[in-house]
Amino acid sequence: MIKDNILDVQNNIKEALKRSKVSNSCTLIAVSKTKPVSMLQEAYDTGIRDFGENKVQEILEKYEVLPNDIKWHMIGHLQTNKVKYIIDKVCAIHSVDSFKLAEVISKEAVKHNITMPVFIEVNIGDEESKFGISKNDVNTFYDSIKNLPNLKIEGLMCVAPYVDTPEDNRQHFVDLRNISVDISNKNVDNIYGNKLSMGMSNDYIIAVEEGSSYVRVGTDIFGNRNYNV
Ligand SMILES: *Cc1c(COP(=O)(O)O)cnc(C)c1O
């Protein structure tokens, strides 16, 4: 079942890329938060190597027991005091939403002598319930963190509003892309990645059409989550 779901999602991405005028590649991150190791193993056996998690403790537990060629993406809100536990275990942090966090990631990366790829999380729908930098502040925020050592700013990430009609989020994805291009144009000397981490189960097809580099898909692969167990 997981296998069929993955094949469906991969196929949808492929078709969306054909329609896209702005992109020709996209990486699927299987969002496995709350799901048991056995289900991750099944996804792994189908060829998935990129997994997304939003809790430090859960990454640590799964990291211990699953194959070591997995690329773990931290996609959830991250407390600064927990950065040290995952700095050498994740391939990217998608949820940089404060200067303090960027600074701590930078310091820990220096300690470990690694460069950490990060995404700036943008509150693209201006929702009070969401983390992320306001649209209008992204440029300034980028400038404030761009010289921190051992950080590689890959691009921008967003969690678009929950909508009944995915098409309603298209403009948000276009907006995120435009902000990213803007940063890219202004910072020709810096090594800004101009990548976009956008699109979830509900709206990833639209996100791919609008240039997503990483879609983060959970429910459509692993089924609904139960947070009460
Ligand atoms: C849970 C989560 C996802 C996956 O959401 P689905 O709707 O299950 O695909 C993607 N991104 C973030 C940041 C998440 O927390």
Side-chain angles (χ1 to χ4, degrees), residues 208-224:
V208 172
E209 288 173 2
E210 295 306 337
S212 178
S213 325
Y214 292 93
V215 288
R216 311 176 309 268
V217 179
T219 309
D220 276 11
I221 292 176
F222 298 108
N224 287 323

Side-chain angles (χ1 to χ4, degrees), residues 77-83 101:
H77 183 63
L78 179 57
Q79 286 171 286
T80 51
N81 61 340
K82 292 191 174 164
V83 171
L101 178 59

Side-chain angles (χ1 to χ4, degrees), residues 23-92:
S23 169
N24 51 26
S25 77
C26 179
T27 300
L28 170 61
I29 299 174
V31 176
S32 47
K33 63 193 189 198
T34 78
K35 298 298 178 183
V37 162
S38 58
M39 290 177 90
L40 279 76
Q41 184 67 52
E42 203 176 327
Y44 180 90
D45 293 338
T46 308
I48 295 287
R49 292 296 178 271
D50 293 87
F51 288 86
E53 292 280 345
N54 67 344
K55 293 235 155 53
V56 166
Q57 187 57 33
E58 208 172 329
I59 292 178
L60 296 177
E61 285 168 17
K62 289 172 174 172
Y63 179 91
E64 271 312 303
V65 295
L66 283 160
N68 59 18
D69 62 341
I70 286 178
K71 291 191 239 161
W72 296 99
H73 296 256
M74 177 61 189
I75 62 170
H77 183 63
L78 179 57
Q79 286 171 286
T80 51
N81 61 340
K82 292 191 174 164
V83 171
K84 57 178 179 286
Y85 301 118
I86 55 162
I87 191 75
D88 57 343
K89 298 187 173 60
V90 299
C91 72

Side-chain angles (χ1 to χ4, degrees), residues 21-188:
K21 294 177 183 70
V22 288
S23 169
N24 51 26
S25 77
C26 179
T27 300
L28 170 61
I29 299 174
V31 176
S32 47
K33 63 193 189 198
T34 78
K35 298 298 178 183
V37 162
S38 58
M39 290 177 90
L40 279 76
Q41 184 67 52
E42 203 176 327
Y44 180 90
D45 293 338
T46 308
I48 295 287
R49 292 296 178 271
D50 293 87
F51 288 86
E53 292 280 345
N54 67 344
K55 293 235 155 53
V56 166
Q57 187 57 33
E58 208 172 329
I59 292 178
L60 296 177
E61 285 168 17
K62 289 172 174 172
Y63 179 91
E64 271 312 303
V65 295
L66 283 160
N68 59 18
D69 62 341
I70 286 178
K71 291 191 239 161
W72 296 99
H73 296 256
M74 177 61 189
I75 62 170
H77 183 63
L78 179 57
Q79 286 171 286
T80 51
N81 61 340
K82 292 191 174 164
V83 171
K84 57 178 179 286
Y85 301 118
I86 55 162
I87 191 75
D88 57 343
K89 298 187 173 60
V90 299
C91 72
I93 296 171
H94 290 241
S95 41
V96 171
D97 56 4
S98 72
F99 178 77
K100 181 89 194 115
L101 178 59
E103 197 179 37
V104 171
I105 294 169
S106 166
K107 275 186 189 147
E108 289 295 330
V110 168
K111 259 192 227 168
H112 287 263
N113 200 22
I114 56 173
T115 296
M116 180 54 61
V118 299
F119 291 81
I120 297 170
E121 180 166 357
V122 181
N123 187 351
I124 201 72
D126 257 324
E127 294 174 282
E128 222 156 87
S129 59
K130 295 245 166 85
F131 291 105
I133 308 295
S134 298
K135 270 194 280 195
N136 296 333
D137 299 336
V138 182
N139 259 291
T140 317
F141 182 74
Y142 174 82
D143 285 338
S144 75
I145 68 169
K146 69 182 178 191
N147 292 323
L148 289 172
N150 297 42
L151 274 196
K152 163 92 172 82
I153 307 174
E154 286 282 4
L156 307 180
M157 175 274 212
C158 77
V159 177
Y162 186 82
V163 288
D164 288 328
T165 315
E167 191 61 42
D168 293 348
N169 275 339
R170 186 180 297 276
Q171 191 57 48
H172 288 313
F173 297 140
V174 171
D175 288 349
L176 196 73
R177 187 179 79 224
N178 286 337
I179 299 169
S180 188
V181 168
D182 197 32
I183 294 174
S184 202
N185 289 341
K186 274 196 211 130
N187 292 276
V188 281

